[in-house]
Amino acid sequence: MNVFTWFSDRNNITFLIAIAGFAMSLYNFLRALWDRRCALSIDYVNHHCSPCKGHTRFEIRMNIQNLSSAPLSIVRMYIICDGKSYSFAFPAQEVMEFTHTKGGIETRHSEVLSQSLPFTISGHGVCGAYFAAYLPPELQSKLEGKCKFQLAVQTPQKRVVFDIDAHNPGLDFEEYGFFTNA
């Protein structure tokens, strides 16, 4: 039986179109799952620790990149240190307060706030922000210099854990001005 006789039968052509349609539908379904996956990366920028009313106030500046084409919601975030998990603050927290003076006159008084949770990052988007957590006082000495810890990011789909090599402790004085109160 040759190919031309097989294609001359209308039922065979209908069967071939049905198989091609099924294959394309399966491909589109798997591609949609792949595009909506929970894929993100974290780029550490810097961190700072300070005592605050019986706690250690831990602030981290980082960029979170959504690697998928679908929007990604970040519901909660945690720092994991010494095997224990500590939640980042939900509402925005003051990270820095600063002024600019010109000729002895205060020209601007501003504050920098942390990112409030939850938040959404658009497809292939990036959110660069500060995040604040209140930790037990005994963690200050461990986290105020160069250190290693883990960050857990909770999305509606899953929880992703990142190992962070925190090599840049300190504040962003050069970028934002003069620190007056935090």
Side-chain angles (χ1 to χ4, degrees):
M1 182 168 153
N2 71 27
V3 175
F4 295 113
T5 0
W6 191 85
F7 276 111
S8 65
D9 186 359
R10 183 175 259 180
N11 290 332
N12 290 342
I13 293 174
T14 304
F15 174 75
L16 187 62
I17 291 171
I19 294 294
F22 173 76
M24 287 173 38
S25 295
L26 185 60
Y27 170 79
N28 287 336
F29 173 76
L30 294 174
R31 180 68 186 191
L33 286 177
W34 182 257
D35 284 345
R36 296 193 196 293
R37 71 196 187 282
C38 179
L40 61 124
S41 70
I42 289 184
D43 294 321
Y44 163 85
V45 178
N46 66 358
H47 73 284
H48 175 69
C49 271
S50 60
C52 179
K53 299 178 185 175
H55 294 90
T56 295
R57 181 183 169 107
F58 178 78
E59 300 152 2
I60 183 169
R61 182 175 174 203
M62 62 184 154
N63 300 315
I64 302 173
Q65 182 177 10
N66 181 359
L67 301 174
S68 71
S69 61
L72 177 68
S73 293
I74 306 293
V75 180
R76 299 279 302 269
M77 289 181 47
Y78 306 90
I79 179 171
I80 302 168
C81 190
D82 292 338
K84 294 182 181 175
S85 180
Y86 304 96
S87 180
F88 281 91
F90 280 46
Q93 302 288 307
E94 182 183 343
V95 175
M96 276 188 263
E97 185 178 303
F98 56 93
T99 60
H100 292 278
T101 56
K102 194 173 196 178
I105 300 171
E106 185 176 298
T107 58
R108 192 173 82 193
H109 178 80
S110 302
E111 64 181 353
V112 176
L113 299 176
S114 67
Q115 174 68 45
S116 60
L117 295 169
F119 65 96
T120 301
I121 305 172
S122 63
H124 298 294
V126 176
C127 174
Y130 289 94
F131 297 90
Y134 295 93
L135 309 175
E138 57 270 12
L139 290 178
Q140 181 175 350
S141 62
K142 179 175 180 153
L143 296 174
E144 65 188 351
K146 293 180 181 181
C147 57
K148 293 184 181 196
F149 53 86
Q150 292 182 312
L151 286 177
V153 178
Q154 181 69 49
T155 68
Q157 293 85 11
K158 66 180 178 178
R159 180 178 171 142
V160 184
V161 178
F162 297 92
D163 292 322
I164 304 295
D165 181 13
H167 60 278
N168 189 20
L171 295 169
D172 297 323
F173 292 121
E174 299 82 20
E175 186 172 344
Y176 289 112
F178 299 97
F179 179 73
T180 60
N181 187 13

